[in-house]
């Protein structure tokens, strides 16, 4: 396919995506302005826009954003430490892989949000329980992809490096790590994304602070216009973080 | 034969995978003895599963024999000898995340060769195999034949006295094999290395080798050894001579029964499985 044609198709699909969002906005507008949907349940787009403008200008969002991001960073750091560490150790023997890989994969399929009441009991209503939940959900894709990445390095790479006299450290740095990295990095990105989802979600259920907390609080106070503004803000933050992590993942894989 | 003429001394080497009685027990090699002379190119040829690749890995210290001894330069082998022995494997032994030049340099880096020396030797080795214009390519961008040239360059850059080649052209098509074989003969005539070359191809063995060791069917041992008395570098026209076909036929005669045996025993194994 020729380059300009490809460009053209890309433009077309972008245009369609944009029109879809625009149509959604239009339905939203019509629902509030024409079809008489309650303003309390569904505020008009213009009202939400004004609220969002106010939220951003006043800087009211800052403490909540900070809490959520700190929780995310702590949870991800814990998940990385344990996920990468234990994943690498498990990948070192076939036996450990045969024992732990299916075990971890089956635990991964349990809905982790069920742990939240327990974590609230253990760590309280504050950030502790959110970090614990975020770290738990994020641990699994990281450990599983680390096992998969380091466990599936082709033997011939290891054999040929050994024949050329690679030390253990050189084997890790120049053979195992680059061979495993593409798979591991995918796990890291997935872990990061679901940690963010779990933290925002658990903040809406039981918490003192954070973006999720603010959204739930506004809903309870029936301040739906401001709540919608915060939802839009949270969606934007998630989108920005996703763009950054996806770009980082692609960069690592291209190396 | 004077002692110093022997580069690799193989004495009563046997190797088995698994224990007798196991379902997967295989007696790969049976009391094999062979002296590999300094500077010769010896081809190991034999039916599939006769243990010729196993023997190569044992010589290179990648595998410990079940019984018997291996000596390289009169010193017993107890593990890889990266300063004395370089390998060229069948295929895909290049690191796909490195460029061709980085692949060549990495082997030297493992051995602590200085950066500038790495650069120089990598350039020389890649030029010798005709890959000067592909140093910045990744292995996936090269053809199978070019990848094996790169693997050969990596082995040459290590400047070892001994080169072990495990069916290096086994995965390539016939025409590429012929060209690579001719180039290899020219290259190695200059290099003055001791080379052990495992192959399935009778023609390749006769064309390249100073001596061909024929293995029996599993459990493998050296059944016969034939000298190929023809100076290096060999000319492409060598394959059309009567001498070439006589030698090839002689090898074929030695191998034919062994190949039948190995195929029949494989069929029996399959029936029992």
């Amino acid at each position: 396919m020729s380059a300009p044609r490809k460009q053209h198709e890309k433009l077309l699909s972008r245009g369609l995506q944009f029109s879809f969002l625009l149509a959604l906005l239009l339905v939203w507008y019509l629902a509030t302005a024409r079809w008489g949907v309650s303003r309390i349940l569904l505020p008009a787009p213009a009202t939400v826009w004004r609220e969002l403008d106010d939220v951003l200008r006043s800087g009211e969002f800052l403490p909540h954003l900070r809490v959520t991001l700190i929780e995310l960073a702590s949870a991800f750091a814990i998940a990385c430490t344990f996920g990468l560490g234990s994943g690498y150790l498990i990948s070192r023997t076939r036996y450990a892989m045969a024992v732990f890989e299916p075990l971890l994969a089956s635990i991964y399929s349990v809905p982790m949000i069920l742990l939240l009441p327990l974590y609230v009991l253990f760590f309280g209503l504050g950030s502790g329980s959110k970090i614990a939940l975020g770290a738990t959900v994020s641990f699994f894709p990281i450990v599983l992809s680390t096992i998969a990445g380091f466990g599936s390095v082709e033997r011939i790479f290891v054999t040929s490096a050994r024949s050329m006299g690679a030390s253990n450290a050189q084997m890790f740095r120049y053979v195992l790590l680059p061979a495993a990295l593409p798979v591991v990095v995918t796990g890291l990105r997935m872990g990061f994304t679901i940690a963010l989802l779990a933290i925002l979600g658990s903040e809406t259920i039981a918490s003192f602070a954070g973006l999720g907390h603010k959204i739930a609080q506004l809903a309870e106070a029936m301040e739906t216009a401001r709540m919608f503004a915060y939802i839009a803000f949270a969606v934007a933050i998630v989108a920005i973080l996703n763009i950054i992590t996806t770009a980082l993942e692609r960069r690592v894989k291209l190396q | 034969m004077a002692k110093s003429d022997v580069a690799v001394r193989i004495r009563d080497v046997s190797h088995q995978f698994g224990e007798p009685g196991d379902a997967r027990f295989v007696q790969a090699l049976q009391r094999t003895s062979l002296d590999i002379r300094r500077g010769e190119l010896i081809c190991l040829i034999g039916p599939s599963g006769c243990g010729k690749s196993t023997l190569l890995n044992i010589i290179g210290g990648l595998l410990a024999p079940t019984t018997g001894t291996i000596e390289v330069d009169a010193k017993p082998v107890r593990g890889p000898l990266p300063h004395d022995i370089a390998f060229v494997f069948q295929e895909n032994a290049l690191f796909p995340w490195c460029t061709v030049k980085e692949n060549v340099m990495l082997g030297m880096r493992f051995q602590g060769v200085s950066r500038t020396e790495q650069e120089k030797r990598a350039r020389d080795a890649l030029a010798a195999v005709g890959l000067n214009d592909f140093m910045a390519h990744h292995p996936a961008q090269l053809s199978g034949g070019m990848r094996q040239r790169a693997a050969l360059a990596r082995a040459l850059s290590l400047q070892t006295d001994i080169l072990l080649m495990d069916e290096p052209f086994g995965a390539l098509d016939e025409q590429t094999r012929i060209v690579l074989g001719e180039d290899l003969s020219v290259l190695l005539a200059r290099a003055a290395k001791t080379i052990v070359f495992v192959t399935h191809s009778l023609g390749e063995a006769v064309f390249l080798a100073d001596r061909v060791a024929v293995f029996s069917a599993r459990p493998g041992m050296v059944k016969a050894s034939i000298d190929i008395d023809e100076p290096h570098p060999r000319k492409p026209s060598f394959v059309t001579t009567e001498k070439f076909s006589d030698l090839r036929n002689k090898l074929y005669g030695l191998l034919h029964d062994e190949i039948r045996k190995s195929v029949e025993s494989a069929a029996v194994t399959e029936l029992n499985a």
Side-chain angles (χ1 to χ4, degrees):
Chain A
M1 199 189 300
S2 64
R5 177 131 177 236
K6 222 174 197 168
Q7 198 72 26
H8 180 78
E9 279 196 0
K10 198 172 168 184
L11 219 64
L12 188 72
S13 57
R14 282 276 176 279
L16 278 174
Q17 286 163 347
F18 190 68
S19 334
F20 180 79
L21 291 178
L22 219 59
L24 217 58
L25 206 62
L26 184 69
V27 170
W28 180 9
Y29 170 75
L30 288 174
T32 54
R34 295 288 158 89
W35 303 336
V37 175
S38 156
R39 289 286 162 94
I40 294 172
L41 295 180
L42 188 68
T47 321
V48 172
W49 179 252
R50 272 197 300 279
E51 289 288 342
L52 182 61
D53 189 53
D54 184 59
V55 168
L56 293 177
R57 272 178 207 283
S58 66
E60 183 200 70
F61 68 92
L62 266 172
H64 296 292
L65 178 63
R66 217 185 68 213
V67 167
T68 301
L69 289 183
I70 288 174
E71 286 168 355
L72 176 63
S74 320
F76 189 60
I78 293 169
C80 283
T81 309
F82 286 94
L84 294 171
S86 51
Y88 178 72
L89 289 179
I90 291 169
S91 78
R92 289 306 82 202
T93 68
R94 297 243 146 251
Y95 185 71
M97 272 170 71
V99 171
F100 288 107
E101 208 270 342
L103 190 68
L104 290 167
S106 52
I107 299 176
Y108 185 29
S109 63
V110 174
M112 297 295 167
I113 194 76
L114 297 178
L115 289 172
L116 184 62
L118 192 68
Y119 282 165
V120 169
L121 215 59
F122 287 172
F123 306 109
L125 278 169
S127 284
S129 53
K130 316 302 169 300
I131 293 170
L133 188 74
T136 309
V137 295
S138 164
F139 167 78
F140 286 92
I142 295 175
V143 71
L144 287 170
S145 67
T146 307
I147 295 173
F150 282 100
S152 63
V153 177
E154 289 193 41
R155 284 196 64 83
I156 184 72
F157 296 155
V158 177
T159 309
S160 94
R162 210 151 68 84
S163 78
M164 294 187 289
S167 66
N168 287 340
Q170 285 170 331
M171 184 72 83
F172 182 81
R173 165 69 185 82
Y174 296 108
V175 181
L176 298 179
L177 190 62
L181 207 56
V183 182
V184 175
V185 161
T186 301
L188 289 175
R189 184 186 50 75
M190 280 170 56
F192 186 84
T193 306
I194 67 168
L196 179 56
L197 299 184
I199 285 168
L200 282 174
S202 58
E203 280 175 353
T204 65
I205 298 171
S207 63
F208 295 135
L211 285 176
H213 171 80
K214 186 69 187 169
I215 290 168
Q217 197 188 37
L218 289 167
E220 279 161 27
M222 296 297 261
E223 288 188 55
T224 38
R226 208 163 179 81
M227 182 193 80
F228 269 78
Y230 264 98
I231 290 176
F233 179 69
V235 167
I237 295 293
V238 172
I240 290 168
L241 290 176
N242 278 344
I243 289 169
I244 294 171
T245 49
T246 309
L248 283 176
E249 182 190 3
R250 194 168 306 156
R251 244 186 85 177
V252 169
K253 284 190 180 180
L254 279 181
Q255 273 175 356
Chain B
M1 199 186 303
K3 191 175 177 182
S4 61
D5 291 341
V6 180
V8 181
R9 186 185 297 274
I10 301 161
R11 278 294 169 273
D12 295 330
V13 164
S14 300
H15 193 76
Q16 60 192 43
F17 295 98
E19 294 298 320
D22 281 3
R24 276 192 247 151
F25 170 74
V26 171
Q27 181 78 41
L29 279 172
Q30 179 107 299
R31 296 181 66 82
T32 299
S33 295
L34 187 66
D35 282 344
I36 295 168
R37 296 169 206 144
R38 196 173 303 285
E40 81 171 334
L41 195 164
I42 184 167
C43 274
L44 310 183
I45 196 165
S48 301
C50 71
K52 43 196 197 302
S53 293
T54 304
L55 182 60
L56 205 67
N57 288 335
I58 291 174
I59 296 172
L62 295 175
L63 208 60
T66 312
T67 59
T69 57
I70 299 272
E71 287 175 8
V72 168
D73 291 330
K75 289 188 293 281
V77 175
R78 296 218 169 73
L81 298 165
H83 296 282
D84 302 311
I85 296 178
F87 268 92
V88 179
F89 296 97
Q90 187 169 5
E91 55 177 338
N92 299 334
L94 295 174
F95 303 120
W97 52 86
C98 291
T99 63
V100 167
K101 189 167 137 217
E102 286 165 354
N103 260 293
V104 177
M105 287 168 66
L106 197 52
M108 290 182 272
R109 171 179 231 150
F110 289 157
Q111 304 187 11
V113 175
S114 77
R115 182 89 193 174
T116 45
E117 178 74 9
Q118 285 177 30
E119 282 272 349
K120 186 186 164 296
R121 283 205 227 163
R123 280 173 192 287
D124 291 349
L126 285 166
V129 299
L131 283 180
N132 332 37
D133 296 336
F134 296 90
M135 293 201 284
H137 284 59
H138 280 84
Q141 297 169 298
L142 304 182
S143 68
M146 289 159 94
R147 280 203 286 272
Q148 287 310 86
R149 283 174 191 271
L152 178 62
R154 182 166 73 177
L156 290 175
S157 76
L158 297 172
Q159 299 185 346
T160 56
D161 288 338
I162 300 171
L163 195 56
L164 305 180
M165 305 181 80
D166 189 3
E167 293 189 53
F169 309 147
L172 306 176
D173 62 82
E174 182 76 26
Q175 277 134 43
T176 312
R177 287 178 89 121
I178 291 171
V179 173
L180 279 182
E182 288 173 10
D183 291 357
L184 187 65
S185 173
V186 173
L187 202 61
L188 298 180
R190 270 185 275 153
K193 285 177 189 290
T194 307
I195 295 154
V196 188
F197 191 107
V198 169
T199 181
H200 267 119
S201 160
L202 297 168
E204 200 165 79
V206 176
F207 186 77
L208 288 172
D210 297 307
R211 190 155 65 108
V212 181
V214 181
F215 276 68
S216 65
R218 195 159 67 207
M221 53 173 66
V222 179
K223 181 185 174 183
S225 150
I226 297 177
D227 288 313
I228 313 285
D229 184 19
E230 173 81 16
H232 284 285
R234 306 247 160 105
K235 294 186 184 64
S237 58
F238 176 46
V239 295
T240 58
T241 61
E242 202 172 323
K243 184 174 170 189
F244 184 91
S245 34
D246 284 350
L247 285 164
R248 196 181 177 287
N249 292 343
K250 196 169 160 194
L251 270 185
Y252 180 78
L254 284 166
L255 258 182
H256 182 261
D257 296 343
E258 299 301 331
I259 293 171
R260 277 231 85 85
K261 265 189 248 166
S262 111
V263 170
E264 274 155 20
S265 86
V268 170
T269 316
E270 262 167 44
L271 278 177
N272 290 342

